[in-house]
Amino acid sequence: MTIHTFPDGFKWGTATAAYQIEGAFDEDDRGLSIWDTFSHQPGKIYGGQNGDVACDHYHRMEEDVALMAELGHQIYRFSVSWSRVIPFGTGAVNEKGLQFYDRLVDTLLKYNIQPAVTLYHWDLPQALQDLGGWANRGTTDAFAEYAKVMYDRLGDRVSRWITLNEPLIFTMMGHRTGVMAPGIRDLGITARSVHHALLAHGKAVQAFRASGVTGEIGITNANTSYEPADDSAETLKATELARDFDSRLFHGPVFGKGYPESVIRYYEGKGAPFPIEPGDMEIIASATDFLGVNLYSRSRIEPDPERGLGFRAARPTLPLLPMGYEAAPHSLGDFLRWVSKEYDRPKIYITENGVNDNAEPVNGVIDDHVRMDLLRGFLAGVHGAIRDGADVRAYYLWSFCDNFEWAFGFSKRFGIVHTDFETLKRTPKKSAEMYSEIIRNNAVDA
């Protein structure tokens, strides 16, 4: 057995998202979000399910935070429901919504758990979508306005802020493939949504600096560790193209490197240019304090000259998990090394990493050994990346509890705490015990 001990001061916790856990979708003057609308459309969500109740965290928040504390969590990342705070996306602020997040932050601090606030985790107010959503440049100003409301309200107690969660996912899967809210399939709208999402991020960073709030702010991106399927020059080139259309498209502008030329050429060639106006790229590159890294697996890449992008995913060679990911725990450490080298060693928080393991209770025990084994591997990779120079400071495991997994409904379980979606009872799994031990020891055995 090898024990990997993490640096002093390394922090451990979990993460969630508002629509996935809160429920109470029509209570206390909350407005509708695009996920309320999308999940109520027939055929969009597995089993016709929705997030109307989800985990009922809105009513069970104190119980959930007490359980986090019992399990030893030091940090917790949650998102704010924009439509709970500003029901129509802009204009009148809902005091009842703000009071909920006041109570959540105060409860976390009571238990000595450091809150990290994600301003946007995919749940755009439907009223803004009706005006064009992320394809409408006006949404960038609405987001900055909303961000300022949150800084003013929680900035005296919250010192870590995340602007957007995974713009890659909510732009591409929401506007290009249409399998997530708002369910659009249009390349031109996708290009506008990508640029406006990143512009909104930059404006929110500028609003944070202007607010006088102390603390730090960054963005969280979705990532895949790309590996060439072989060592040929063509395959290595294809792998770099994959990184252009995924990693560099969303990291590059934030770090002042702009959009990859290959991506610009592709979209312009399809008649779908990015709507860049003078000054936009400087706003997007507003200095951030950290990079949030979300990662679950790898993708092996091979060239595909007949496809417009020039690359494709090669056949998986590792076992597949229920979400379709390869079981590739080495991928996290590999990506941390790559992103650290690519962007001059930024401070990194791992804001999501986890495993879909659908183990159910047997005699009251939930033995999610697949999750446990892979988590040990992921964390060993993090330790190795830190040893090799990556500046990783914290790890937020996805997720605290089983929740509404977007288009998959309740069919995929990522929590270390089991949720019975009939009774809403919470039951810690074997992985929760393991994670508590990792936190206590600041170390993992692998």
Side-chain angles (χ1 to χ4, degrees):
M1 180 186 298
T2 301
I3 304 296
H4 299 293
T5 301
F6 283 74
D8 291 344
F10 194 89
K11 298 297 183 183
W12 303 90
T14 52
T16 63
Y19 188 75
Q20 292 182 270
I21 68 166
E22 282 183 4
F25 85 107
D26 60 351
E27 293 187 37
D28 291 339
D29 301 325
R30 177 185 178 273
L32 291 178
S33 79
I34 57 174
W35 271 95
D36 296 305
T37 302
F38 188 75
S39 67
H40 283 86
Q41 294 175 14
K44 298 297 185 181
I45 309 297
Y46 173 86
Q49 297 164 342
N50 58 58
D52 290 2
V53 176
C55 304
D56 197 32
H57 176 73
Y58 190 75
H59 298 113
R60 299 165 184 261
M61 177 269 292
E62 289 87 353
E63 168 193 342
D64 286 339
V65 175
L67 181 53
M68 293 175 200
E70 182 182 332
L71 295 173
H73 298 181
Q74 301 162 338
I75 51 179
Y76 174 57
R77 173 188 170 223
F78 65 91
S79 78
V80 173
S81 167
W82 186 348
S83 56
R84 194 179 295 284
V85 170
I86 306 178
F88 296 100
T90 187
V93 176
N94 178 23
E95 177 63 23
K96 294 177 183 177
L98 286 173
Q99 288 174 359
F100 170 73
Y101 296 108
D102 271 334
R103 294 195 302 274
L104 172 54
V105 168
D106 288 345
T107 304
L108 288 165
L109 293 175
K110 181 179 75 171
Y111 286 104
N112 295 315
I113 300 172
Q114 180 188 27
V117 172
T118 303
L119 291 169
Y120 185 75
H121 200 130
W122 306 359
D123 48 354
L124 189 75
Q126 182 61 44
L128 292 181
Q129 185 61 45
D130 293 342
L131 299 175
W134 286 111
N136 178 2
R137 190 178 178 92
T139 300
T140 68
D141 293 323
F143 183 69
E145 171 193 322
Y146 154 61
K148 185 179 186 304
V149 168
M150 298 313 304
Y151 304 149
D152 289 346
R153 186 61 172 244
L154 301 181
D156 60 333
R157 287 157 289 160
V158 173
S159 59
R160 185 170 298 164
W161 297 84
I162 296 163
T163 54
L164 306 177
N165 179 77
E166 299 185 337
L168 168 72
I169 305 299
F170 72 76
T171 57
M172 296 297 168
M173 299 185 77
H175 301 84
R176 187 167 185 180
T177 66
V179 298
M180 289 191 172
I184 295 170
R185 298 180 66 182
D186 185 287
L187 192 64
I189 289 176
T190 300
R192 294 196 295 277
S193 297
V194 168
H195 183 65
H196 291 154
L198 290 173
L199 184 61
H201 153 78
K203 289 183 177 182
V205 172
Q206 291 188 340
F208 180 76
R209 304 299 180 203
S211 72
V213 169
T214 58
E216 54 185 1
I217 191 165
I219 189 171
T220 278
N221 281 326
N223 302 284
T224 298
S225 180
Y226 289 106
E227 301 177 13
D230 58 54
D231 294 332
S232 70
E234 293 81 7
T235 299
L236 295 178
K237 180 180 178 181
T239 304
E240 292 308 312
L241 275 175
R243 291 183 174 126
D244 282 354
F245 279 83
D246 187 312
S247 303
R248 294 189 181 104
L249 173 57
F250 292 93
H251 292 83
V254 169
F255 285 101
K257 294 189 174 186
Y259 295 117
E261 285 297 323
S262 59
V263 178
I264 293 291
R265 286 195 304 270
Y266 174 82
Y267 278 88
E268 288 182 348
K270 296 288 187 179
F274 289 86
I276 303 170
E277 295 187 8
D280 282 2
M281 302 311 293
E282 290 77 12
I283 294 172
I284 294 172
S286 298
T288 50
D289 301 301
F290 63 87
L291 173 64
V293 167
N294 291 3
L295 186 140
Y296 291 87
S297 191
R298 70 164 186 180
S299 181
R300 296 171 65 250
I301 298 298
E302 60 189 13
D304 187 354
E306 297 181 2
R307 189 175 182 222
L309 297 176
F311 65 90
R312 66 185 179 195
R315 180 180 58 83
T317 60
L318 297 173
L320 295 181
L321 298 169
M323 284 288 286
Y325 305 145
E326 284 188 284
H330 67 278
S331 59
L332 182 53
D334 286 353
F335 180 81
L336 292 171
R337 293 180 184 90
W338 179 84
V339 79
S340 295
K341 181 179 179 181
E342 184 83 2
Y343 299 109
D344 195 24
R345 199 173 175 266
K347 182 196 297 184
I348 292 172
Y349 299 129
I350 299 168
T351 40
E352 281 186 35
N353 170 248
V355 179
N356 174 204
D357 182 336
N358 289 341
E360 290 286 350
V362 177
N363 297 324
V365 176
I366 303 147
D367 183 9
D368 51 340
H369 59 274
V370 173
R371 174 176 294 112
M372 294 166 67
D373 290 345
L374 289 175
L375 283 179
R376 289 189 185 98
F378 278 125
L379 292 175
V382 175
H383 184 272
I386 293 172
R387 182 192 60 218
D388 292 341
D391 186 15
V392 186
R393 306 287 187 91
Y395 179 87
Y396 296 84
L397 186 152
W398 187 271
S399 178
F400 166 66
C401 61
D402 297 330
N403 51 52
F404 179 81
E405 188 51 46
W406 308 111
F408 293 101
F410 300 108
S411 68
K412 309 296 183 186
R413 294 181 177 271
F414 278 86
I416 57 171
V417 171
H418 181 273
T419 305
D420 182 323
F421 291 108
E422 295 296 324
T423 66
L424 297 175
K425 179 183 178 181
R426 277 71 157 148
T427 305
K429 306 176 186 180
K430 295 288 286 185
S431 60
E433 299 175 17
M434 182 192 79
Y435 194 48
S436 293
E437 183 178 358
I438 290 170
I439 295 171
R440 283 194 302 272
N441 296 328
N442 196 36
V444 62
D445 63 271

